[in-house]
Amino acid sequence: MRRIVAILLTAILLCRVTSAEAAEKGLVLRASDLLAQPFIDAAKSGPLTANQPVTILQRRGAWANVEAGGKTGWVRVLNLRLEPGPAGAARPGGARPSGGNPMSLLQTGSSGRTVTTGVKGMDEEDIRNATPDYAELELLGTLAVSADDARATATKASLKENTVDYLDKGRSRK
């Protein structure tokens, strides 16, 4: 499991996804703030109200750059829902949504798929067409700590080490 999480996190940090989804229409699910940058602590550009229509300009991991009420900014993908469209309709750039349902990209709740916030808004085609960003990889390397430092920090926080065996291929936890 740790290996899968590490691979997904690395892929997200190394990849720049093209904005084939540009100019999609959506709705805000719950009131939130429009932010100047795709960061939780970024400056606020203005408020977004529930059910407010937005134009999705770009996606970056768990964030979407949107235009709403004449302002542009960033909002979490989990706060958005795509407006319904014809099933299997091509997105700008010719890309087709996975499963033929454009709503599947921003659905929340039980959708029959397991998703994490880090890859919400990305489909298999986006991941396959992604390219490595070596500057981000170099930055990632600067964030590493030694195993001894990690253990010392965990000990100070009263955390206990736990080893989890990998599942054999084809075997489930059940």
Side-chain angles (χ1 to χ4, degrees):
M1 186 64 169
R2 283 192 234 173
R3 185 181 213 175
I4 293 169
V5 171
I7 290 169
L8 285 174
L9 288 175
T10 303
I12 291 166
L13 290 171
L14 293 177
C15 298
R16 288 192 180 172
V17 177
T18 61
S19 62
E21 304 86 30
E24 292 173 302
K25 301 291 183 189
L27 294 173
V28 177
L29 289 173
R30 57 188 150 269
S32 58
D33 290 312
L34 193 61
L35 302 174
Q37 303 275 332
F39 306 110
I40 196 75
D41 58 350
K44 296 176 183 175
S45 300
L48 292 171
T49 59
N51 297 315
Q52 180 175 357
V54 297
T55 300
I56 301 166
L57 306 171
Q58 174 188 12
R59 293 191 205 153
R60 189 178 301 161
W63 294 92
N65 184 240
V66 300
E67 186 277 322
K71 293 184 177 184
T72 59
W74 294 88
V75 65
R76 288 178 179 249
V77 171
L78 290 174
N79 287 344
L80 299 175
R81 177 172 305 164
L82 285 179
E83 285 183 352
R91 287 183 268 173
R96 291 199 177 274
S98 63
N101 180 1
M103 294 296 289
S104 68
L105 293 173
L106 293 179
Q107 268 183 340
T108 58
S110 178
S111 64
R113 290 185 177 177
T114 302
V115 217
T116 64
T117 302
V119 295
K120 183 93 173 170
M122 294 174 69
D123 62 17
E124 185 176 344
E125 183 178 346
D126 292 332
I127 294 169
R128 286 178 198 243
N129 293 329
T131 57
D133 183 338
Y134 295 105
E136 289 294 320
L137 179 59
E138 192 171 315
L139 176 63
L140 182 62
T142 67
L143 301 176
V145 296
S146 70
D148 290 338
D149 287 343
R151 282 191 184 91
T153 301
T155 301
K156 283 182 186 176
S158 300
L159 300 176
K160 295 181 181 176
E161 189 170 331
N162 185 18
T163 302
V164 178
D165 294 329
Y166 289 106
L167 293 175
D168 293 332
K169 190 171 185 170
R171 196 178 102 207
S172 69
R173 291 185 213 181
K174 295 179 184 177

